[in-house]
Amino acid sequence: MEKLPATRDTGKQKVRSAEVGTDILKALAELSPATSLSRLAEHVQMPASKVHRYLQALIASGFAEQNTATNHYGLGREALRVGLAALGSMDVLKVAALPLAELRDELNETCFLAVWGNQGATVVHIEPAVRAVTVVTQLGSVLPLLSSSTGLVFSAFLPSRETVELREREIQAGIAHALVDDQAYADTCEQIRQRGLHFVHGLLMPGVDALSAPVFNAMGQVAAVLTVVGPTSLFHADEDGPAAKRLLAASQAVSWRMGYQP
């Protein structure tokens, strides 16, 4: 009977020890690629002697390493392996599903997620508005690069080699005449990068407004685009409006979950 409290105390100590080790690992990531012991101790607000003990255990397990030339510490091979495994498990469709549904509930407008496919911006998930008047967007639809807010957001954040061929095809087909001019196109993309979103009024479909924002992965690459669409009579797709603020909050939340740090 007398040993039970000691067992519970030991369990608590192990949990606390794991929490401290995790905090130090997070700090090594935040101070990467390398940091001194004093700076690391200051960052986690612990005595340097205590941090040093934990570092020795992390080094022994491969989660940290020390540069013998500088004596600085950084993440080890095991931490890299775990990080890569976590990144590999990140599916933007799964990560964005709940925030997209919540965005639809807040705005009561059709919201969808698009990824970049072989043919361009492709709709992979839709949360339709719950009302009589709604905008129908088909799952699997490929949206134009230059005449949709979704396509233009991809244009702004993808490498130009990914979009140049599609842009030329659309120009030759007579789509989006306003962006045929190279300078106008470049200026539009720069504006999107500065704003972090883009809106169009009836550009793709008359009477329909659209508002789009990018989702980034841990490498800072655009992984998807979140878009809200609705009839002009009911939905106001302005870059400074409440819908834009909610969309940006949703896209930033999904980006954070994907491991993105601006």
Side-chain angles (χ1 to χ4, degrees), residues 187-260:
D187 290 345
T188 297
C189 289
E190 180 58 30
Q191 289 171 2
I192 294 171
R193 286 189 287 270
Q194 291 179 1
R195 294 170 180 162
L197 52 77
H198 189 59
F199 67 95
V200 297
H201 298 297
L203 182 59
L204 182 58
M205 291 185 288
V208 174
D209 286 5
L211 187 64
S212 301
V215 169
F216 299 104
N217 61 22
M219 278 76 75
Q221 302 163 331
V222 59
V225 171
L226 296 182
T227 297
V228 184
V229 292
T232 304
S233 59
L234 298 172
F235 175 54
H236 304 291
D238 301 316
E239 65 179 64
D240 297 318
K245 293 177 181 177
R246 289 186 175 91
L247 174 63
L248 276 176
S251 65
Q252 289 167 359
V254 177
S255 295
W256 179 85
R257 184 66 182 83
M258 292 290 292
Y260 175 64

Side-chain angles (χ1 to χ4, degrees), residues 72-211:
H72 283 191
Y73 297 90
L75 292 173
R77 291 177 60 87
E78 287 301 309
L80 176 62
R81 186 175 66 84
V82 171
L84 289 174
L87 286 176
S89 68
M90 287 296 177
D91 183 335
V92 69
L93 185 57
K94 294 179 181 177
V95 173
L98 180 57
L100 196 68
E102 292 174 341
L103 184 65
R104 185 275 315 277
D105 292 343
E106 291 177 1
L107 301 177
N108 196 19
E109 300 291 353
T110 297
C111 302
F112 65 82
L113 178 79
V115 298
W116 190 254
N118 293 335
Q119 302 299 317
T122 306
V123 178
V124 293
H125 187 78
I126 305 169
E127 292 290 344
V130 184
R131 65 178 182 215
V133 180
T134 186
V135 175
V136 178
T137 302
Q138 297 294 328
L139 195 66
S141 296
V142 178
L143 301 173
L145 185 76
L146 300 177
S147 56
S148 71
S149 62
T150 306
L152 285 167
V153 168
F154 273 117
S155 294
F157 293 100
L158 281 173
S160 58
R161 65 179 181 274
E162 298 280 343
T163 60
V164 61
E165 184 177 345
L166 181 56
R167 178 173 178 249
E168 287 301 320
R169 288 206 307 265
E170 292 189 4
I171 290 174
Q172 292 173 7
I175 298 176
H177 298 288
L179 296 178
V180 169
D181 180 74
D182 289 343
Q183 189 59 53
Y185 174 71
D187 290 345
T188 297
C189 289
E190 180 58 30
Q191 289 171 2
I192 294 171
R193 286 189 287 270
Q194 291 179 1
R195 294 170 180 162
L197 52 77
H198 189 59
F199 67 95
V200 297
H201 298 297
L203 182 59
L204 182 58
M205 291 185 288
V208 174
D209 286 5
L211 187 64

Side-chain angles (χ1 to χ4, degrees), residues 19-46 51 55 58 63-64 73-75 261:
E19 290 175 347
V20 173
T22 301
D23 289 341
I24 293 175
L25 272 176
K26 289 178 181 178
L28 286 173
E30 291 166 0
L31 298 174
S32 63
T35 184
S36 65
L37 175 60
S38 60
R39 187 182 177 201
L40 181 60
E42 181 182 2
H43 190 80
V44 295
Q45 297 182 340
M46 296 179 194
V51 174
L55 281 171
L58 290 171
F63 280 89
Y73 297 90
L75 292 173
Q261 293 186 351

